[in-house]
């Protein structure tokens, strides 16, 4: 029996070593130390492509000022995020917090804790329900982004029957992007939404939903993808339906997406999609760190709520604008 | 045979089929309902669409049927799919011939499943706890490998999720092969009988001298292998491995198995029942989009349909029990 136990644990250990050896990633919890400056606690709800870019923006801005960044990721767990923030405030004694909340309501208790300890609480990318007690907030403008998508489709100057994918119906970014798109189409008749598919930001639901919508409406000739995250699924669905044609082909399905991540940028470069509304995540980090320094020095920041609309990149301006987009850096 | 006798015989056979798979009428009602509201729903191309979309669930649910039949559970299914997808994108595997790479990943999943089995059978930790722990480990390893980025999968490695065999989508062909193999193993092999015996009464199975630990490890390893195959199909279909791949999928898989009549306490269930449960879930998802259901009522309709399907599937069972009770209480003279 002892041998069996030893063999089992040896196998488990070996498997872990082998799998870990496949890694190309950076750890999800890190501390960047620099001499002087302030200590900024950064708490994200999870770490993915866009969050990594946002974290890099914060670290770059902090490095310039000699600030120290302590980063934690909550793995999409509101309780874990609350505990991590408590640790940052009470144990690590950070001078300011930059947070992306997993849950915009449940983060309220962490905001109150920060306020009680006189630690400036800054949020980026996602707004919180409590707008009174946060020190600074910088987010994208989902409604404006949705309107920019509508502008890109209207500018195509042809009749478009649009499949609109929707992110999560409880996610303010998803709802804002949808509402902005619908508002942007008002007053014109060339572009019309013929199908809505909720995805919960799940790539599988996006794939199946797109396939189902194409089955019901074979005349769909445009798709609004609310995030580059769902783009591979949409392209796979079009490919399976025999409708994945490059820009310029008479049967090309017009596609506009949001984020400007490497997947979207590559699709633009490959002439697979028509436009991408790039979120200016670099600005989030720069402005948040500047605000954190000011607030921790006792100054006020005005306005304390900032929204930045995305940058529309399309086949016409891609080569000029790609240098300004976070996800296009490595695109050839 | 007279016409009356023949019609009684056909009726009896139909009744037996319905009573053994009570979800069939519920599925037929759903198909009729969606078909009436949206004529496109009943088209051949949409049937293939549903078949393709159900494939991954069918394969993973077949795996879960074996696990649940032993009175166990595997919460690591979704995370294992993510880890398998991550492994597919790793540089080392991409340098191998595609078929070999996919076989290696599937075998790797079998080993990981076997480790789940070791935890359950040898260490004696409840399956829920073991697989909850490995869920975290697998998802963490997957995230470590991909760097939590969306990674595009090479076309060469996507063949399991694309293409067709004589017009039938390859994912569905794979799913049917897995279902047939699973049914064969469960019904026609000693291993399958051991699985059901262990699920029905594990202490009795041990007392009878059945190799309980080996069978349990084998079940989890077999489930891991099937989940690896499901991952190959899923990654092939999606064309990318994303950080949320497979997230929460285990709950859909368990729903399909339970909907298909497999008892969560083990010992009772079938792969065919699971297949019907999985197909009903796929039909609901497809039908809701085709009838243009509001995005806001998707979850409500989905839940209501599932509840209705379960209630409808209970009616034939109740009728059968009542008929049996009536016939056993009827005097012998009245029956002759």
């Amino acid at each position: 029996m002892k041998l069996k136990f030893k063999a089992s644990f040896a196998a488990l250990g070996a498997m872990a070593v082998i799998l870990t050896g496949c890694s190309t990633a950076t750890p999800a919890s890190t501390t960047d130390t620099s001499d002087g400056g302030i200590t900024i606690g950064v708490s994200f709800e999870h770490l993915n492509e866009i969050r990594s870019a946002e974290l890099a923006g914060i670290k770059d801005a902090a490095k310039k000022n000699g600030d120290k960044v302590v980063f934690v990721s909550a793995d999409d767990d509101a309780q874990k995020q609350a505990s991590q923030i408590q640790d940052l405030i009470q144990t690590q004694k950070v001078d300011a917090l930059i947070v992306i909340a997993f849950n915009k309501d449940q983060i309220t208790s962490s905001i109150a804790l920060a306020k009680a300890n006189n630690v400036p609480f800054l949020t980026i990318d996602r707004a919180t329900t409590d707008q009174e007690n946060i020190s600074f907030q910088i987010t994208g403008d989902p409604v404006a982004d949705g309107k920019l998508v509508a502008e890109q489709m209207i500018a195509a100057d042809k009749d478009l029957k649009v499949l609109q994918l929707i992110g999560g119906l409880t996610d303010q970014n998803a709802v804002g992007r949808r509402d902005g798109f619908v508002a942007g189409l008002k007053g014109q008749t060339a572009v019309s939404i013929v199908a809505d598919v909720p995805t919960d930001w799940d790539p599988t639901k996006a794939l199946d939903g797109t396939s189902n919508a194409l089955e019901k409406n074979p005349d769909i000739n445009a798709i609004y993808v609310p995030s580059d995250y769902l783009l591979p699924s949409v392209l796979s669905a079009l490919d399976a339906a025999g409708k994945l044609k490059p820009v310029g082909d008479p049967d090309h399905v017009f596609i506009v997406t949001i984020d400007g991540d490497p997947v979207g940028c590559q699709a633009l470069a490959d002439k697979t999609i028509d436009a991408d509304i790039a979120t200016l995540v670099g600005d989030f980090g720069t402005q948040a760190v500047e605000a954190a320094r000011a607030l921790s020095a006792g100054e006020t920041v005005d306005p304390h709520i900032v929204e930045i609309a995305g940058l529309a990149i399309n086949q016409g301006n891609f080569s000029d604008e790609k240098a300004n987009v976070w996800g296009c850096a490595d695109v050839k | 045979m007279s016409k009356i006798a023949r019609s009684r015989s056909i009726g009896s056979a139909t009744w037996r089929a319905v009573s053994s798979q009570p979800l069939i009428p519920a599925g037929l009602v759903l198909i009729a309902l969606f078909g009436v509201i949206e004529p496109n729903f009943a088209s051949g191309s949409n049937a293939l669409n549903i078949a393709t979309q159900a494939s991954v669930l069918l394969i993973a649910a077949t795996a879960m049927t074996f696990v649940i039949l032993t009175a166990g559970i595997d919460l690591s299914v979704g995370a294992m799919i993510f880890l398998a997808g991550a492994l597919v994108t790793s540089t080392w595997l991409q340098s191998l011939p595609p078929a070999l790479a996919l076989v290696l990943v599937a075998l790797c999943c079998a080993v990981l499943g076997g480790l789940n089995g070791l935890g359950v059978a040898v260490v004696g930790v409840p399956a829920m706890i073991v697989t909850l722990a490995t869920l975290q480990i697998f998802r963490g390893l997957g995230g470590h490998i991909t760097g939590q980025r969306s990674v595009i999968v090479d076309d060469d490695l996507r063949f399991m999720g694309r293409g067709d065999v004589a017009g039938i989508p390859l994912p569905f062909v794979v799913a049917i092969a897995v279902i047939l193999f699973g049914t064969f193993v469960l019904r026609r092999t000693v291993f399958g009988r051991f699985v059901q015996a262990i699920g029905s009464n594990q202490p009795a199975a041990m007392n009878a001298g059945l190799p309980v630990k080996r069978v349990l490890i084998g079940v989890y390893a077999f489930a891991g292998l099937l989940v690896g195959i499901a991952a190959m199909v899923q990654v092939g279909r999606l064309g990318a491995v994303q950080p949320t791949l497979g997230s929460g999928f285990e709950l859909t898989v368990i729903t399909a198995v339970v909907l298909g009549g497999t008892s969560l306490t083990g010992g009772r269930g079938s792969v065919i029942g699971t297949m019907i449960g999985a197909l009903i879930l796929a039909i609901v998802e497809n039908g809701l989009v085709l009838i243009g259901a509001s995005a806001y009522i998707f979850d409500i309709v989905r839940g209501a349909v599932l509840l209705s399907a379960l209630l409808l599937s209970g009616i034939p069972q109740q009728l059968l029990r009542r008929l049996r009770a009536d016939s056993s209480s009827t005097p012998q003279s009245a029956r002759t």
Side-chain angles (χ1 to χ4, degrees), chain A residues 1 8 15 19 23-25 47-49 169 178 203-204 207-208 211-212 215-216 229 232-233 236 239, chain B residues 38 40 43 45-46 49 53 111 141 144-145 147-148 150 158 162 234 237-238 242 244 286 290 295-296:
Chain A
M1 181 60 81
S8 310
M15 184 64 68
L19 294 174
S23 166
T24 56
L47 198 58
N48 58 15
E49 197 120 39
L169 289 168
R178 180 203 60 186
T204 307
L207 170 66
D208 292 345
S211 299
N212 293 335
E215 181 68 35
K216 187 190 178 187
Y229 190 69
S233 301
S236 291
D239 189 27
Chain B
E38 172 55 54
N40 271 350
S43 67
S45 61
N46 193 48
N49 209 13
Q53 290 170 14
V111 173
L141 284 169
H144 196 59
I145 292 167
Q148 299 289 10
S150 296
R158 294 185 59 191
R162 303 200 289 191
Q234 182 72 318
R237 289 193 65 224
L238 287 170
Q242 288 147 308
T244 56
N286 174 275
L290 261 67
Y296 281 103

Side-chain angles (χ1 to χ4, degrees), chain A residues 1 4-5 7-9 11-12 15-16 18-28 47-50 52 75-76 166 169 175 178-179 195-198 200-205 207-209 211-213 215-218 228-237 239 261 263, chain B residues 38 40 43-46 49-50 52-53 83 87 90-92 108 111-112 115 118 122-123 137-138 141 143-152 158 162 213 234 236-240 242-247 282 285-287 289-299 302:
Chain A
M1 181 60 81
K4 277 185 182 174
F5 270 116
S8 310
F9 286 113
L12 185 63
M15 184 64 68
I18 291 166
L19 294 174
T20 307
C22 294
S23 166
T24 56
T26 51
L47 198 58
N48 58 15
E49 197 120 39
I50 195 163
S52 297
D75 300 326
D76 288 339
I166 305 166
L169 289 168
V175 174
R178 180 203 60 186
D179 292 347
D196 285 316
V197 172
D200 291 329
W201 299 121
D202 179 346
T204 307
K205 285 185 181 173
L207 170 66
D208 292 345
S211 299
N212 293 335
E215 181 68 35
K216 187 190 178 187
N217 301 292
D228 287 338
Y229 190 69
L230 303 178
L231 186 58
S233 301
V234 171
L235 299 181
S236 291
D239 189 27
D261 83 1
V263 173
Chain B
E38 172 55 54
N40 271 350
S43 67
S45 61
N46 193 48
N49 209 13
I50 292 171
T52 308
Q53 290 170 14
L83 176 55
L87 285 171
S90 67
T91 317
W92 181 70
C108 184
V111 173
L112 295 172
L115 291 175
L118 275 173
V122 180
V123 185
I137 294 169
F138 297 163
L141 284 169
H144 196 59
I145 292 167
T146 60
Q148 299 289 10
R149 291 177 292 114
S150 296
V151 184
I152 302 296
R158 294 185 59 191
R162 303 200 289 191
K213 288 181 181 174
Q234 182 72 318
R237 289 193 65 224
L238 287 170
Q242 288 147 308
T244 56
L245 176 63
S247 182
E285 289 296 324
N286 174 275
V289 173
L290 261 67
I291 65 173
S294 160
Y296 281 103
I297 63 162
F298 248 64
D299 288 339
R302 195 184 289 132

Side-chain angles (χ1 to χ4, degrees), chain A residues 117-281:
Chain A
N117 286 274
N118 293 318
V119 176
F121 192 101
L122 300 88
T123 59
I124 64 169
D125 201 298
R126 283 186 173 177
T128 55
T129 302
D130 183 354
Q131 295 278 286
E132 292 287 318
N133 294 304
I134 53 167
S135 312
F136 178 75
Q137 175 179 291
I138 180 164
T139 62
D141 185 340
V143 176
D145 290 347
K147 286 179 179 170
L148 284 171
V149 173
E151 278 178 21
Q152 293 295 316
M153 290 203 177
I154 293 166
D157 200 22
K158 56 182 175 184
D159 289 342
L160 293 179
K161 291 182 168 53
V162 184
L163 159 62
Q164 177 180 223
L165 300 182
I166 305 166
L169 289 168
T170 55
D171 177 0
Q172 62 201 334
N173 277 347
V175 174
R177 287 174 184 186
R178 180 203 60 186
D179 292 347
F181 182 60
V182 172
L185 293 182
K186 276 188 180 161
Q188 57 82 49
T189 53
V191 182
S192 57
I193 300 168
V194 296
D196 285 316
V197 172
T199 66
D200 291 329
W201 299 121
D202 179 346
T204 307
K205 285 185 181 173
L207 170 66
D208 292 345
T210 303
S211 299
N212 293 335
L214 291 171
E215 181 68 35
K216 187 190 178 187
N217 301 292
D219 52 350
I220 284 172
N221 60 356
I223 302 179
Y224 167 28
V225 188
S227 167
D228 287 338
Y229 190 69
L230 303 178
L231 186 58
S233 301
V234 171
L235 299 181
S236 291
L238 285 170
D239 189 27
K243 294 188 173 186
L244 186 60
K245 310 287 182 191
V247 174
D249 187 292
D251 295 325
H252 168 71
V253 175
F254 198 93
I255 301 171
V256 185
T257 178
I258 294 180
D259 279 347
D261 83 1
V263 173
C265 288
Q266 192 60 56
L268 261 173
D270 294 342
K271 299 194 182 301
T272 311
I273 67 171
D274 299 85
D276 198 336
I277 311 304
T279 309
L280 301 172
V281 296

Side-chain angles (χ1 to χ4, degrees), chain B residues 287-314:
Chain B
L288 283 174
V289 173
L290 261 67
I291 65 173
S294 160
Y296 281 103
I297 63 162
F298 248 64
D299 288 339
I300 300 168
V301 174
R302 195 184 289 132
V305 168
L306 291 179
L307 189 61
S308 307
L310 282 171
L311 292 175
L312 274 172
S313 69

